[in-house]
Amino acid sequence: MVRYRLETWAPWKRLLLVMLYSLLLLSLLCAHQGEVSEAQDLPQVKIPSSVAPYGGQWRMAPKDYANLRYSALDQITPENIKNLHVAFTFSTGVTQGHEAAPLVVDSTMYIVTPYPNYLYALDLTQPGAPVKWKYEPKPAAAAQGVACCDQVNRGAAYANGRIFYNTLDGHTVAVDVQSGKEIWKTKLGDINKGETITMAPLVVKDKVLVGNSGGEMGVRGWVTALSTDNGQIVWRAYNTGPDADVLIGPHFKPFYPQDQGKDLGVATWPPDAWQTGGGTMWGWISYDPELNLIYHGTANPGPWNADQRPGDNKWTCGIFARNPDNGEARWFYQWSPHDLHDYDGINENLLLDMPVNGQMRKVLVRPERNGYLYVLDRTTGEVLSATPYVHITSTKGVDLQSGRLIYAEDKKPEIGKVVRDICPAAPGAKDWQPSAFSPQTGLLYIPHNNLCMDWEEVEVSYIAGTPFVGTNVKMYAGPGGQRGALTAWDPVAAKQVWSIKETFPVWSGTVATAGGVVFYGTMEGWFKAVHARTGEELWRFKAGSGIVGQPITYRGPDGKQYVAVLAGVGGWSGAIVAGGLDPRDTTAALGFVNAMADLPAHTTKGGMLYVFALP
């Protein structure tokens, strides 16, 4: 056999052979890359192209219009997070529930406190981030007495050199970011009726969008648009009452027949009951610039006693799509018609583009209070899926043909009868605490509750500015004994990927990062970081008070990635501590105290900002 030795070949032959091998390797590599590219081109969950990330800044409480709470910052990773340490702290001087998200714009951080609603500006260019200025809106003290569930505030919004936020006594203010001076202040609510404002506003174009709180006082719900320039009311849409008040007109095209008809905001109530029917709007607003639609939920009907308000009670416990320019309603869907268990519909709506049955759809993903993870077509309001993400006994599912929630007959309340083992409890599978979504993992990170309750209806009469509830409630831990969890959910497969059990409800928000880390806080005061793909705990820090705030991450003036969160236990779940309530009164805080009787042994009041960084 003749053997050929390469070294005996002429140089040009060896060069030709090397080139042939190179071409072969290149073709194989391109073929392989083609397979990868083709796989990547398959339908995946995507962030709408219109979402403005604002780089390393955090200009609104939900981070972006799609309410994703995702940051593209990636300096902090599962590999180096063990080195995360406190960069600086700041005491707010207030000790009620701190539920707000800090904002970071350019080189300044802005913090809104619970009542009395101070606004601080911290200089991030200086060591320790000293105070640049402090604005005091001086809200009416009487607002504290009509606030349903602690004196919280969920944050602010930045636009055009101004910080916009709400005060507990029903005002919206605009503050100059350079001087800290008030530019305008507009009264929107009436505390004598029990009306307060606790939500974080959203700025869309030249309008500040705000909704009210007070459903437990029989307040009539609304969402209002104010001019960013001068604070004047541009439009107001009510969530109960005649079509003219709800801003329902010829362009209103709800997907389901039960939401079609004239003046359903009146006809689905007993005579005049819609005037004290609740449906407030104290939660989150999303915005799709391409469709030019805002999405906002509506809260529970009043009173809680459902026997006193037969009918579907439109337009409570649902979601509206509206034109932000004039408030005109485009569609509506009702999560919980004729709400039986205080399942407010105010939770966050995450806007994604994702495959449904092999077709890319513009969807709205919603972990709803009634315990179902909904996927809706955000152009029409059609329910594409509704999957339980917690233990549910109060309902039997969602009929995808009609869109209606199917109530469990044995859990329907009756006057004079105690109905036991209703799950989820009145705070829902999750309350206001916002989820985060990572396009890297395709997972939704849901902070939520594991609570059940006993429920007894009693007669109640409406008196302005006083509780209008009509129910005795006793809450307790759900199956397994823990009261909360952080769950990673795959919205395409409609299934849980992993879940972390927590002793108390996970009442904080979440944030997901491009570094592959998810941050959240616990009510006993642990600030935690977990692996975005596996849920493995990577790091924890013990704060001085329980955490019910919204963590954020930002790029500082020095180019480093920071993580910030407000600690200060409170809110409805932490009212036993923030309000100094007696744990022996099991009905206190509308029944939540019974489920949280041991919380005072684990944490105390506080009000502290913690900011973390790598060395």
Side-chain angles (χ1 to χ4, degrees):
M1 186 172 90
V2 180
R3 298 178 182 272
Y4 294 92
R5 297 179 61 190
L6 187 60
E7 61 266 26
T8 65
W9 287 20
W12 67 269
K13 290 184 178 180
R14 280 182 279 172
L15 178 60
L16 179 61
L17 184 63
V18 170
M19 291 175 65
L20 288 171
Y21 271 106
S22 299
L23 287 170
L24 178 62
L25 288 172
L26 183 60
S27 65
L28 290 171
L29 179 60
C30 288
H32 176 66
Q33 288 178 335
E35 292 171 3
V36 173
S37 176
E38 185 178 0
Q40 290 175 341
D41 287 342
L42 290 173
Q44 302 291 325
V45 182
K46 299 176 182 177
I47 294 176
S49 59
S50 56
V51 171
Y54 298 116
Q57 301 184 48
W58 201 284
R59 296 185 173 197
M60 59 184 83
K63 180 66 165 76
D64 52 50
Y65 282 140
N67 269 239
L68 302 182
R69 293 175 173 81
Y70 169 76
S71 171
L73 299 180
D74 60 2
Q75 291 181 10
I76 299 170
T77 68
E79 290 72 33
N80 64 23
I81 198 169
K82 63 180 180 294
N83 299 317
L84 203 64
H85 68 281
V86 175
F88 65 89
T89 62
F90 175 75
S91 173
T92 66
V94 182
T95 58
Q96 300 301 121
H98 283 62
E99 291 186 349
L103 301 186
V104 175
V105 182
D106 298 327
S107 59
T108 305
M109 177 180 287
Y110 302 93
I111 299 169
V112 178
T113 75
Y115 178 91
N117 302 133
Y118 300 141
L119 173 64
Y120 290 100
L122 307 182
D123 187 349
L124 299 178
T125 67
Q126 300 298 318
V131 175
K132 295 173 68 173
W133 49 258
K134 175 186 178 184
Y135 167 71
E136 300 183 33
K138 297 181 172 58
Q144 300 173 85
V146 296
C148 151
C149 312
D150 199 10
Q151 302 154 23
V152 299
N153 185 289
R154 298 186 177 92
Y158 166 84
N160 303 323
R162 299 175 180 186
I163 296 292
F164 303 92
Y165 76 105
N166 301 308
T167 62
L168 190 66
D169 66 344
H171 289 77
T172 300
V173 297
V175 180
D176 179 76
V177 297
Q178 296 300 324
S179 65
K181 301 297 183 183
E182 180 183 297
I183 298 174
W184 53 256
K185 184 176 185 179
T186 302
K187 181 179 179 181
L188 296 178
D190 183 354
I191 58 175
N192 294 317
K193 296 179 180 178
E195 208 166 14
T196 55
I197 302 180
T198 57
M199 69 168 289
L202 189 73
V203 177
V204 173
K205 301 180 183 179
D206 59 351
K207 297 175 179 63
V208 186
L209 303 175
V210 180
N212 61 346
S213 303
E216 279 64 48
M217 304 287 181
V219 165
R220 186 185 179 200
W222 46 254
V223 58
T224 296
L226 305 170
S227 166
T228 56
D229 182 50
N230 54 30
Q232 292 183 357
I233 295 177
V234 180
W235 55 259
R236 173 171 288 188
Y238 286 92
N239 298 327
T240 67
D243 289 352
D245 290 0
V246 187
L247 302 189
I248 287 176
H251 296 106
F252 183 60
K253 300 184 185 302
F255 189 85
Y256 297 101
Q258 64 265 25
D259 300 320
Q260 301 166 6
K262 183 173 177 56
D263 291 328
L264 296 183
V266 174
T268 59
W269 293 85
D272 297 326
W274 56 269
Q275 298 186 48
T276 56
T280 52
M281 210 296 287
W282 52 276
W284 300 105
I285 306 174
S286 302
Y287 174 53
D288 185 332
E290 293 179 354
L291 298 176
N292 194 35
L293 291 177
I294 59 168
Y295 305 92
H296 72 83
T298 62
N300 62 284
W304 287 14
N305 182 341
D307 283 344
Q308 292 187 217
R309 46 173 174 79
D312 274 2
N313 309 136
K314 306 291 187 192
W315 304 93
T316 66
C317 284
I319 177 174
F320 273 107
R322 295 185 182 276
N323 182 334
D325 300 327
N326 55 19
E328 181 183 54
R330 292 296 180 84
W331 57 257
F332 175 86
Y333 171 71
Q334 195 164 27
W335 313 107
S336 302
H338 186 61
D339 174 43
L340 300 179
H341 303 120
D342 185 41
Y343 292 159
D344 298 52
I346 54 76
N347 291 4
E348 70 281 5
N349 304 297
L350 296 96
L351 309 186
L352 300 169
D353 297 341
M354 73 177 223
V356 178
N357 298 324
Q359 179 185 359
M360 287 298 290
R361 303 284 290 266
K362 293 180 179 295
V363 302
L364 181 152
V365 177
R366 165 76 162 236
E368 172 51 24
R369 196 148 156 172
N370 63 21
Y372 295 91
L373 196 296
Y374 287 82
V375 177
L376 272 62
D377 184 314
R378 68 175 181 271
T379 66
T380 65
E382 177 188 7
V383 178
L384 304 175
S385 65
T387 310
Y389 66 98
V390 296
H391 175 67
I392 300 175
T393 65
S394 56
T395 59
K396 299 295 186 181
V398 178
D399 183 338
L400 295 185
Q401 292 298 313
S402 68
R404 289 191 72 92
L405 187 66
I406 304 168
Y407 287 107
E409 290 296 326
D410 61 331
K411 301 302 178 185
K412 288 186 176 180
E414 298 177 26
I415 291 283
K417 176 184 177 182
V418 177
V419 181
R420 305 190 186 280
D421 191 37
I422 297 172
C423 313
K430 67 179 296 297
D431 201 278
W432 75 278
Q433 61 267 45
S435 309
F437 174 82
S438 169
Q440 285 191 338
T441 64
L443 299 180
L444 181 68
Y445 303 95
I446 309 170
H448 62 94
N449 315 320
N450 178 41
L451 298 169
C452 300
M453 66 180 175
D454 299 339
W455 181 284
E456 180 188 23
E457 290 190 343
V458 295
E459 292 286 348
V460 63
S461 297
Y462 174 77
I463 302 174
T466 64
F468 186 50
V469 177
T471 303
N472 295 321
V473 176
K474 179 181 178 182
M475 302 182 206
Y476 41 85
Q482 79 281 358
R483 284 157 280 181
L486 177 73
T487 295
W489 186 269
D490 182 339
V492 177
K495 67 177 184 180
Q496 174 183 303
V497 176
W498 52 257
S499 189
I500 302 168
K501 297 178 180 179
E502 293 290 354
T503 302
F504 297 104
V506 181
W507 209 258
S508 84
T510 53
V511 62
T513 74
V517 179
V518 174
F519 292 92
Y520 73 103
T522 73
M523 293 195 67
E524 60 263 61
W526 288 108
F527 188 46
K528 295 185 178 184
V530 299
H531 198 293
R533 295 191 183 275
T534 66
E536 173 193 1
E537 184 176 303
L538 303 169
W539 173 90
R540 63 164 58 189
F541 174 86
K542 185 63 170 68
S545 181
I547 297 172
V548 296
Q550 304 165 57
I552 71 163
T553 185
Y554 67 93
R555 182 186 292 112
D558 56 2
K560 292 176 59 175
Q561 180 181 357
Y562 292 82
V563 180
V565 70
L566 283 165
V569 77
W572 190 9
S573 61
I576 185 173
V577 176
L581 304 180
D582 190 336
R584 294 171 296 182
D585 183 359
T586 60
T587 64
L590 299 174
F592 218 146
V593 160
N594 188 71
M596 307 298 290
D598 57 335
L599 183 61
H602 294 268
T603 188
T604 56
K605 295 182 182 182
M608 183 75 75
L609 169 74
Y610 293 89
V611 179
F612 304 89
L614 295 172

